[in-house]
Amino acid sequence: MTLANYPMKVNSAIFVKSSADYAQCPPMDKPEYAFIGRSNVGKSSLINAITNHSKLAKTSSTPGKTQLINHFLINDNWYLVDLPGYGFAKISKEIRQKWEVMLSQYLFKRLNLINTFILVDSRIEPQKSDLELMSKYGASELPFTLIFTKSDKLTTNKLEKNLTIYKNILLKQWESLPEYIITSSESKRGIQDVLNIIEQSNPLFDPRLIPYTD
Ligand code: GTP
Ligand code: MG
C-alpha cells in the first residue's frame, strides 16, 4: 500500500514537449488534464500557479502565444496540458478550421484525457465561442470543469453579479450547472480545488484501456 499524496501537492513539474497535433503527443501512459479557453484567458498562468513555477508555461499579454499542445509532467505521475487559445478577432478561416480539427482529434483520440478545465474570464459576459465549446463537450459526453479566471480583478459584488449572469445563461442550455471553480493565479484562489479534482480523478485512469504502441 502506498500513502496517498493528500492534500495533493506538486513536488515536481517538468516541461515534456510541444506538439502540433495529437499524434505527436507523449505516450498515453499517464492520466492527463487539459486547459482550454480563449486567448489571454489565463491558461498558462493557471498552470504556473498550480505548479508553483513562475515560468513553466509561457504567459503573454499578446494573445495567441501558445499555438502548440504543451505537455507538462507533474510528480512523474500525470500530465497537465496547455492547449492553444481560440477566439482571436483577426483569425483566418483556415487557421480556425485547423484549430478545430486539432482539438477534435486531441479530444477524441487522447484516451488518457481524464478531464478538461474550460477557462472563462470572470470579468466578461458569456462568449459564444465558450458556450459552443461547452456544448461540444456536452454533446460528446466529455467531462469538463468550468474555471472562472482572474477573480482578483473584480470586487466580490461584481464577481457575484457576473457569476449569476453566467449561471443563468448556462441553465438555458444545461439541465444543471457544470462543476465550476473560481480562480485567480494572482491570489491563488481555487488552485487547491483544481488540484483536489485532479487527485480525485487520477484513479479513473486505467492503463489497460490504452492500446499498446511502440
Ligand atoms: P494564450 O496562450 O495567448 O492563449 O493566453 P493564456 O490563456 O495562456 O493567458 P496567459 O496565462 O498568458 O495570461 C494572459 C494575461 O493575463 C497575462 O498578462 C497574465 O499575467 C494575465 N493573467 C492571467 N491570469 C491572471 C489572474 O488570475 N489575475 C490577473 N490579475 N492577471 C492574470
Ligand atoms: Mg498560454
Side-chain angles (χ1 to χ4, degrees), residues 87-175:
F88 311 94
K90 287 184 226 139
I91 200 155
S92 72
K93 212 176 159 185
E94 200 193 328
I95 296 203
R96 197 193 142 82
Q97 279 172 351
K98 258 193 171 171
W99 182 86
E100 299 242 343
V101 171
M102 179 281 298
L103 179 67
S104 285
Q105 288 185 331
Y106 172 79
L107 291 182
F108 294 111
K109 300 196 176 186
R110 204 64 194 155
L111 303 178
N112 60 331
L113 177 65
I114 306 286
N115 193 18
T116 301
F117 295 97
I118 299 182
L119 279 63
V120 298
D121 191 325
S122 57
R123 296 169 301 172
I124 60 172
E125 71 270 23
Q127 301 288 301
K128 196 167 159 245
S129 52
D130 296 327
L131 297 171
E132 280 174 3
L133 182 68
M134 284 180 241
S135 298
K136 183 182 167 100
Y137 271 76
S140 311
E141 295 186 17
L142 290 165
F144 70 89
T145 303
L146 180 58
I147 301 269
F148 292 98
T149 65
K150 307 191 187 185
S151 63
D152 60 286
K153 291 203 173 196
L154 288 169
T155 61
T156 311
N157 264 348
K158 183 70 180 151
L159 181 64
E160 276 305 315
K161 265 188 194 157
N162 286 3
L163 284 180
T164 305
I165 293 171
Y166 218 105
K167 287 178 192 171
N168 286 338
I169 291 201
L170 283 174
L171 287 172
K172 286 184 184 165
Q173 262 186 23
W174 296 81
E175 265 175 39

Side-chain angles (χ1 to χ4, degrees), residues 9-154:
K9 283 197 189 83
V10 170
N11 300 313
S12 66
I14 304 164
F15 168 71
V16 180
K17 73 180 289 197
S18 297
S19 313
D21 62 22
Y22 89 95
Q24 293 175 11
C25 290
M28 296 187 275
D29 57 351
K30 294 176 177 68
E32 109 177 13
Y33 301 88
F35 291 75
I36 194 166
R38 282 154 52 84
S39 223
N40 217 40
V41 70
K43 297 176 290 296
S44 303
S45 302
L46 194 65
I47 287 177
N48 288 339
I50 290 166
T51 55
N52 234 338
H53 268 251
S54 59
K55 285 181 191 138
L56 188 68
K58 286 182 193 128
T59 62
S60 156
S61 48
T62 332
K65 179 98 187 165
T66 319
Q67 283 301 343
L68 296 161
I69 304 170
N70 293 304
H71 275 80
F72 302 94
L73 178 62
I74 314 300
N75 296 350
D76 224 10
N77 209 15
W78 41 276
Y79 292 116
L80 287 183
V81 180
D82 196 359
L83 290 173
Y86 54 88
F88 311 94
K90 287 184 226 139
I91 200 155
S92 72
K93 212 176 159 185
E94 200 193 328
I95 296 203
R96 197 193 142 82
Q97 279 172 351
K98 258 193 171 171
W99 182 86
E100 299 242 343
V101 171
M102 179 281 298
L103 179 67
S104 285
Q105 288 185 331
Y106 172 79
L107 291 182
F108 294 111
K109 300 196 176 186
R110 204 64 194 155
L111 303 178
N112 60 331
L113 177 65
I114 306 286
N115 193 18
T116 301
F117 295 97
I118 299 182
L119 279 63
V120 298
D121 191 325
S122 57
R123 296 169 301 172
I124 60 172
E125 71 270 23
Q127 301 288 301
K128 196 167 159 245
S129 52
D130 296 327
L131 297 171
E132 280 174 3
L133 182 68
M134 284 180 241
S135 298
K136 183 182 167 100
Y137 271 76
S140 311
E141 295 186 17
L142 290 165
F144 70 89
T145 303
L146 180 58
I147 301 269
F148 292 98
T149 65
K150 307 191 187 185
S151 63
D152 60 286
K153 291 203 173 196
L154 288 169

